[in-house]
Amino acid sequence: MSAEPVIEVVELSKQYKDIRAVDGISLSIPSNQIFSMLGANGAGKTTTVEILEGLRSPTSGSARVFGVDVAKDYRPIRSRVGILPQNFEPFDMLKPTEAIEYWAGLFDKKVTRKDVSDLLETVNLSHRKDVVSKKLSGGEKRKLGIALSLINEPELLFLDEPTTGLDPRARRDLWALIEGIKKKGSTVFLTTHYLDEAEKLSDDVAIMHKGRIITRGSPEDLVRKHGKLTVIVLAGAGEVGLKEVTRRGIDATLESDGDLLVPVRDPTEMRQIFQKLSGIELKVKDMYTRKQTLEDVFLSVVGQKMDEGVLGK
Amino acid sequence: MSRILADTIAFGKQYMRSGVAMFFAFAFPILLILIFGAIFSSQGEVALPLPVQDLDEGPYSTVFLNILANISVVDIEVIPSDVDISEYISDESLLVALQIPADFSSQVGAILADASAGPVNLTLYGDQTTSTYGTMSQVVQAAIDGMNYGLLGESPIVGFEAQSISLEDNMTFMDFFLPGVVGLVVMTNTLYTITSICAEYKSRGYFKLLATTNIKKHEWLLSKFIFYTVLLFASLLLTFAIGQAVFDMTSSLTPLAFAFIAAGGFLFLAMGMLLGTLVKDPESASAIANAVGFPMMFLSGIFFNLDGMPSYMQAISKVFPLTYFNDGLRATMIYDNTEVALVNLAIVVVLGLVFFVLGSKLLSWKER
């Protein structure tokens, strides 16, 4: 593992006409990690990634990839970087084998039939190699996109919302693929608005909101730092339950679906809190404990759930 | 070079799999040649209908109608003598109709006896601003002159004979038309396609993707140029072969004709790339390409000779690059005039280079 960070961003900003898409973020990402940038639509993730890919110019600050200032000249690192853009669409009338040969040619790389075949095998697309791309499913197209991004055996791979719009099975397939890429030694920069995806895949997560990184760490660190470790869920307790519980000095929050969450910060308090709760006459559908996730962290640091939309808040 | 080759092959495969694109490269010029050839190649045998109402039905009106019938460009259609000619014209939507008055023969007889009594007039109905009326009035006048000379026992002193102005013997309309079709095919296949490709590449993010690879903008355009040059050479050869086989054309495929195809392809690709800087989506691409392509199509001498157009229209046509392409191609293919062809070729190449430099500068693959 190299000591020099693969990505080094300092006070990076991007101002559009009336929107500050990226607002003075700083990042340093070491090699061979899966780094996830988490945020709702419009948080500034794609703008950040496209600056790092040399596709947009920053308004201020610096962005270095492999030590190269990408705003000035991206060319020296082109062959070391793979990119799957947001909403990737393959060339409709090319078959996967042809698309891979084409993309290899654009990187001045000679590939044999076996190379192409191996790459298609890696992304589990061999059975569709001779079908024109417009006939591929959404997940297959995304897999082809990843195959293209891997053509130059990149040390750094940018995956911008790779699983958006895919069904659960296709998402899981892609997760396995991304984990496999990391195992081969590459660094992966992933942007996503799926919290479970970031939690499952990432070594390091940054939550971005309104152009700023508002917290960062491993998923476990973030849960420890911003979450409450474990919660007791009183399903369907509602407003009445919240009133009864807080009247007895127990901290609780009410979720929009009517579930009441009672945090347990210290595991030794668990028995005591349960005893208190059992003494209250509550109408609940179910009562159980749940470990907190990045979703709870996101709720805690951003102030609302991802699916409620953070834009314009 | 490997990047250009890879892009040419990939683009070619996609193009070949697109039925619409192949139609415009091969079927479209052949259809144009066949349709226009069928319409115009036999125009000497076409007779225009001339409805005539003979209210006289006497000996002199019969003589006049015989003279008229001998003029090959008209085909006399009889209007019954018992109908009102104005109503008949309206009912039958006629553009023109000739009426011979009821006392035509008796008046002609009277004039022959006493010249001071004449003349007796025929009436030609119709819209005098139309070309049909103009043609028919000349035909009728010719028949009247013929009858006057005959009745007076005189022969005309001055006449004329038709002689083709073409430098080649047996030149047909198709010889003139084929270079125009080639110009049209070169323009539609490159200008329209590349403008719409720019729109597609922008909206689907392909330009951004390409920007992350090693290929450069001029290499990308060069690969399109290579592909279209080969494609248009094939299209020209096929169209020319069919034109020769069906219409017995006398124009020839010179090396300069191929140089024009290559230079024209480059010019309109570069122009399309420049237009591509203005488009944002496929809809706007179509609108912008049509806004530029349609005036060129009709004002650059594809379908007809520009010499017959008003002088201001001829001046406008000089603005369009397709005019120089057509003029040059005709100069080499029909008139074998290398000097004129080379001047036009130089103009096409220079314009292509100007558009290419501007397009390369202005078309950005990245976001601002």
Side-chain angles (χ1 to χ4, degrees), chain A residues 228-298:
Chain A
K228 301 163 183 79
L229 291 181
T230 305
V231 288
I232 298 168
V233 182
L234 303 173
E239 291 277 0
V240 178
L242 177 66
K243 205 171 171 184
E244 288 296 319
V245 169
T246 51
R247 197 159 63 87
R248 284 167 174 78
I250 302 171
D251 186 18
T253 53
L254 184 65
E255 293 214 302
S256 56
D257 57 4
D259 288 355
L260 202 60
L261 304 184
V262 178
V264 184
R265 289 192 172 78
D266 183 347
T268 60
E269 292 176 353
M270 181 76 80
R271 179 187 292 264
Q272 190 187 347
I273 293 172
F274 260 119
Q275 280 176 347
K276 278 188 182 178
L277 289 173
S278 60
I280 306 170
E281 283 275 327
L282 285 174
K283 279 187 180 175
V284 293
K285 293 176 192 163
D286 196 3
M287 184 163 75
Y288 55 90
T289 61
R290 167 163 74 79
K291 276 198 167 182
Q292 288 219 305
T293 64
L294 270 183
E295 191 163 349
D296 302 297
V297 173
F298 192 87

Side-chain angles (χ1 to χ4, degrees), chain A residues 12-15 51 56-63 69 71:
Chain A
L12 189 72
S13 294
K14 178 68 182 179
Q15 177 76 41
I51 290 172
R56 284 180 195 270
S57 305
T59 306
S60 63
S62 75
D69 186 341

Side-chain angles (χ1 to χ4, degrees), chain A residues 50 90 92-93 98 102 108, chain B residues 3 7 17 204 206 208:
Chain A
E50 290 193 346
D92 281 345
M93 301 307 287
E98 295 165 344
Y102 171 41
D108 302 305
Chain B
R3 296 190 291 268
D7 196 58
R17 286 172 187 155
R204 300 187 81 177
Y206 293 157
K208 278 190 192 175

Side-chain angles (χ1 to χ4, degrees), chain B residues 303-316:
Chain B
F303 301 106
F304 44 81
N305 198 325
L306 294 172
D307 294 344
M309 289 164 62
S311 57
Y312 71 92
M313 293 295 268
Q314 290 186 39
I316 291 172

Side-chain angles (χ1 to χ4, degrees), chain A residues 14 50 54-56 78 83 85 88-95 98 102-103 105-108 132, chain B residues 2-3 6-7 10 13-14 17-18 201 204 206 208-216 366-368:
Chain A
K14 178 68 182 179
E50 290 193 346
L55 295 174
R56 284 180 195 270
R78 250 179 207 153
I83 291 169
F88 168 79
E89 282 286 331
F91 292 92
D92 281 345
M93 301 307 287
L94 285 184
K95 298 169 184 173
E98 295 165 344
Y102 171 41
W103 221 241
L106 297 187
F107 279 99
D108 302 305
V132 286
Chain B
S2 67
R3 296 190 291 268
D7 196 58
K13 281 180 178 170
Q14 293 177 82
R17 286 172 187 155
S18 164
Y201 275 39
R204 300 187 81 177
Y206 293 157
K208 278 190 192 175
L209 264 179
L210 288 172
T212 66
T213 70
N214 293 343
I215 195 167
K216 298 178 178 70
K366 301 180 181 182
E367 300 283 343
R368 303 284 178 204

Side-chain angles (χ1 to χ4, degrees), chain B residues 51 82 87 96 112 135 152 195 280 328 343 359:
Chain B
D82 58 345
E87 284 178 14
V96 66
L112 284 172
T135 304
L152 294 172
T195 309
K280 288 184 176 137
V343 169

Side-chain angles (χ1 to χ4, degrees), chain A residues 13-272:
Chain A
S13 294
K14 178 68 182 179
Q15 177 76 41
Y16 295 118
K17 213 173 185 181
D18 47 2
I19 298 170
R20 196 159 185 81
V22 180
D23 191 4
I25 65 169
S26 295
L27 275 176
S28 179
I29 301 171
S31 66
N32 197 214
Q33 282 209 342
I34 297 182
F35 172 84
S36 290
M37 188 165 263
L38 194 60
N41 291 331
K45 307 185 300 290
T46 295
T47 301
T48 304
V49 167
E50 290 193 346
I51 290 172
L52 291 169
E53 292 168 349
L55 295 174
R56 284 180 195 270
S57 305
T59 306
S60 63
S62 75
R64 291 182 172 276
V65 176
F66 297 118
V68 173
D69 186 341
V70 290
K72 287 183 181 158
D73 193 4
Y74 180 77
R75 275 175 297 179
I77 56 160
R78 250 179 207 153
S79 58
R80 299 173 70 185
V81 177
I83 291 169
L84 176 72
Q86 192 176 28
N87 303 322
F88 168 79
E89 282 286 331
F91 292 92
D92 281 345
M93 301 307 287
L94 285 184
K95 298 169 184 173
T97 47
E98 295 165 344
I100 289 170
E101 285 165 356
Y102 171 41
W103 221 241
L106 297 187
F107 279 99
D108 302 305
K109 188 176 164 67
K110 286 188 176 172
V111 285
T112 62
R113 282 176 184 259
K114 185 176 181 309
D115 294 332
V116 175
S117 173
D118 288 349
L119 194 49
L120 286 171
E121 191 66 45
T122 302
V123 297
N124 194 21
L125 209 55
S126 299
H127 61 297
R128 303 284 276 166
K129 64 179 180 174
D130 291 323
V131 176
V132 286
S133 298
K134 72 174 182 180
K135 292 185 177 171
L136 299 177
S137 69
E140 288 168 340
K141 286 178 181 174
R142 223 62 67 87
K143 284 178 181 175
L144 177 57
I146 292 180
L148 297 184
S149 70
L150 294 174
I151 194 73
N152 51 340
E153 298 170 47
E155 296 164 59
L156 170 63
L157 186 61
F158 288 104
L159 301 175
D160 194 358
E161 310 227 1
T163 62
T164 299
L166 301 187
D167 61 59
R169 184 176 172 175
R171 288 181 69 206
R172 277 196 297 276
D173 284 353
L174 279 181
W175 289 355
L177 185 57
I178 293 165
E179 284 173 329
I181 291 165
K182 185 205 164 188
K183 276 183 191 159
K184 287 183 179 171
S186 298
T187 305
V188 179
F189 189 117
L190 176 76
T191 72
T192 181
H193 60 256
Y194 292 126
L195 297 147
D196 55 342
E197 184 166 286
E199 189 161 5
K200 162 94 172 112
L201 294 174
S202 315
D203 301 300
D204 191 2
V205 176
I207 294 180
M208 200 165 184
H209 179 52
K210 291 185 176 176
R212 290 169 177 258
I213 291 175
I214 52 177
T215 190
R216 185 182 167 191
S218 69
E220 298 77 19
D221 284 345
L222 292 179
V223 170
R224 203 174 299 125
K225 187 173 166 189
H226 298 284
K228 301 163 183 79
L229 291 181
T230 305
V231 288
I232 298 168
V233 182
L234 303 173
E239 291 277 0
V240 178
L242 177 66
K243 205 171 171 184
E244 288 296 319
V245 169
T246 51
R247 197 159 63 87
R248 284 167 174 78
I250 302 171
D251 186 18
T253 53
L254 184 65
E255 293 214 302
S256 56
D257 57 4
D259 288 355
L260 202 60
L261 304 184
V262 178
V264 184
R265 289 192 172 78
D266 183 347
T268 60
E269 292 176 353
M270 181 76 80
R271 179 187 292 264
Q272 190 187 347

Side-chain angles (χ1 to χ4, degrees), chain B residues 44 83 128 144 175 178 288 291:
Chain B
V83 300
Q128 295 180 30
I144 289 170
D175 289 302
L178 180 77
I288 286 172

